[in-house]
């Protein structure tokens, strides 16, 4: 099985190969199979490939033939046709673990390997608007959403037709970044937008502005408890607090913790053995329950970026990053992380920080590297 078989592209390749065998079609002629995780079943994926392929003779019968072909493929642990033209499969555990090295470079992973890195600040199409200079909160909100929408669209377009990222030979290290917010260092001055940035910081403001689905929020609209869709300097709600009530803090803290936890694991292992753990691209650690949940959340990343770009809805990426942060924190507090080998912690922390950091960059927010 290919080393990245449990990435979205790897699962798609398996489904295409089985569908081509079962339906007598060329794999390249088949549409994208759009594999999805099955809720509550870590390591299980499903696709309406029979329906999408327009199989003759009935979708259920075609799905049964595709499932049979999948079971004959190396690396597939199980496959079935549960009905309604759906096909479900379970790759072998080593294939699920193989997703982790593919996600080490979060930018390449979210864009399907079409880019080795996201553009630099200021490059064409990638520059951020000056929110502090906006004449109103509404305009600042619109600018933040336009920036995120443009960046996400660039990433989504880069991923179209990409075969999937190749695993890095070693997890890359993110550039050092702290929690400092330049706008928050200045005394409140200027219009409402500038005062808001001074109160909550630019990163939190951008995430707050992008979290709602609506383009023009109703008066008093919230996206969660004490989370106004359009926070103001006088009433920023939880967006001004460095607590778990603030989604911007939760996501950015998860990135910072993952980067730091990788360093702690490396230092502890070096003190114990004299060498630093360095998992290679063929890392195949067995996954416990919490680790499997984290890997499943990583699997959803490219799909979240693609959907957000296709629909022009940055809130889809915000909500995805919140879920990934929650999965990371769940794993980091579990025995999977505490008692597992140092190389496992380095690999999973690198994957989580890579995808979280790239996602934050798409929203125009910074990714601190120290808790």
């Amino acid at each position: 099985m290919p080393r990245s078989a449990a990435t979205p592209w790897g699962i798609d390749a398996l489904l295409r190969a089985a569908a081509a065998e079962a339906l007598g079609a060329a794999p390249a002629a088949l549409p994208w199979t759009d594999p999805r995780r099955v809720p509550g079943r870590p390591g299980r994926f499903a696709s309406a490939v029979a329906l999408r392929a327009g199989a003759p003779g009935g979708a259920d019968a075609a799905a049964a033939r595709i499932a049979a072909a999948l079971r004959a493929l190396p690396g597939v642990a199980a496959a079935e046709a549960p009905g309604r033209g759906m096909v479900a499969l379970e790759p072998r555990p080593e294939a699920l673990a193989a997703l982790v090295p593919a996600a080490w470079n979060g930018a390449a992973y979210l864009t399907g390997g079409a880019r080795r890195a996201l553009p630099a600040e200021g490059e064409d199409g990638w520059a951020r608007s000056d929110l502090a200079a906006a004449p109103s909160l509404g305009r600042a909100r619109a600018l933040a959403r336009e920036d995120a929408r443009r960046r996400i669209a660039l990433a989504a377009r880069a991923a179209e037709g990409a075969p999937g990222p190749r695993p890095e030979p070693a997890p890359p290290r993110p550039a050092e970044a702290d929690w400092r917010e330049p706008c928050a260092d200045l005394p409140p001055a200027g219009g409402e937008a500038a005062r808001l940035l001074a109160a909550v910081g630019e990163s939190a403001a951008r995430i707050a502005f992008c979290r709602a689905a609506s383009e023009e929020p109703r008066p008093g609209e919230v996206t969660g408890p004490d989370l106004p869709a359009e926070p103001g300097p006088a009433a920023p709600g939880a967006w001004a607090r460095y607590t778990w009530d603030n989604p911007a803090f939760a996501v950015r803290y998860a990135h910072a913790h993952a980067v730091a936890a990788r360093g702690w694991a490396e230092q502890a292992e070096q003190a114990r053995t004299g060498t630093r753990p360095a998992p290679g691209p063929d890392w195949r650690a067995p996954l416990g329950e919490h680790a499997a949940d984290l890997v499943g959340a990583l699997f959803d990343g490219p799909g979240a970026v693609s959907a957000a770009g296709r629909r022009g809805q940055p809130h889809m990426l915000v909500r995805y990053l919140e879920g990934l942060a929650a999965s990371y924190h769940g794993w980091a507090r579990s025995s999977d992380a505490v008692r597992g080998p140092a190389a496992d912690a380095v690999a999973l922390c690198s994957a989580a920080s890579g995808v979280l950091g790239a996602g934050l960059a798409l929203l125009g927010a910074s990714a601190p590297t120290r808790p």
Side-chain angles (χ1 to χ4, degrees):
M1 172 174 283
R3 64 177 59 184
S4 59
T7 64
W9 308 276
I11 299 295
D12 173 70
L14 288 174
L15 289 164
R16 283 171 183 265
E21 175 69 22
L23 305 177
L30 296 171
W32 168 249
T33 60
D34 194 23
R36 304 289 181 92
R37 281 197 297 153
V38 176
R41 298 287 299 274
R44 188 176 178 86
F45 305 90
S47 167
V49 57
L51 291 170
R52 297 173 73 86
D60 284 349
R65 297 198 301 272
I66 294 170
L70 277 169
R71 290 192 289 270
L73 293 177
V76 176
E80 64 177 352
R84 298 186 178 181
M86 300 294 293
V87 175
L89 75 152
E90 293 182 16
R92 294 191 181 278
E94 60 269 23
L96 185 62
L99 180 149
V100 174
W104 285 344
N105 186 325
Y109 178 65
L110 291 182
T111 59
R115 294 178 184 271
R116 301 306 297 166
L118 294 171
E121 290 295 339
E123 287 189 18
D124 185 35
W126 196 252
R128 295 185 302 172
S129 303
D130 184 359
L131 301 189
S136 66
L137 286 174
R139 182 55 183 159
R141 185 178 189 275
L143 289 172
R145 293 174 69 84
E146 288 169 8
D147 289 349
R149 190 176 289 114
R150 185 175 61 253
R151 289 174 171 229
I152 293 169
L154 286 172
R157 283 198 298 271
E160 291 178 359
R166 296 181 180 179
E168 294 283 337
R173 295 182 180 277
E176 287 286 326
D178 58 27
W179 289 86
R180 183 179 181 184
E181 292 274 12
C183 291
D185 292 338
L186 301 174
E192 279 193 310
R195 296 199 301 276
L196 173 66
L197 267 60
V200 306
E202 182 172 353
S203 293
R206 285 182 176 275
I207 293 173
F209 288 148
C210 289
R211 194 173 193 255
S214 57
E215 291 300 316
E216 297 183 4
R218 300 180 304 274
E221 181 178 339
V222 297
T223 60
D226 202 21
L227 294 171
E230 189 175 285
W239 296 111
R241 299 197 287 269
Y242 284 75
T243 68
W244 301 119
D245 297 332
N246 180 351
F249 170 78
V251 173
R252 298 172 75 218
Y253 183 85
H255 179 270
H257 188 280
V259 174
R262 170 186 172 174
W264 299 333
E266 290 175 334
Q267 293 169 11
E269 185 67 6
Q270 186 170 30
R272 189 178 71 85
T273 66
T275 60
R276 296 174 77 90
D282 294 320
W283 181 83
R284 290 289 189 279
L287 299 175
E289 177 183 358
H290 291 90
D293 180 68
L294 173 57
V295 173
L298 292 167
F299 175 90
D300 292 339
V305 171
S306 177
R310 186 171 61 252
R311 300 178 187 178
Q313 293 287 353
H315 79 277
M316 299 175 72
L317 176 57
V318 174
R319 300 306 177 104
Y320 164 71
L321 293 175
E322 292 176 34
L324 175 57
S327 294
Y328 169 76
H329 287 304
W331 167 77
R333 293 191 294 264
S334 72
S335 59
D336 290 0
V338 175
R339 300 174 187 171
D344 294 8
V346 171
L348 287 163
C349 287
S350 298
S353 63
V355 175
L356 286 166
L360 286 167
L362 291 177
L363 296 172
S366 67
T369 53
R370 297 178 183 178

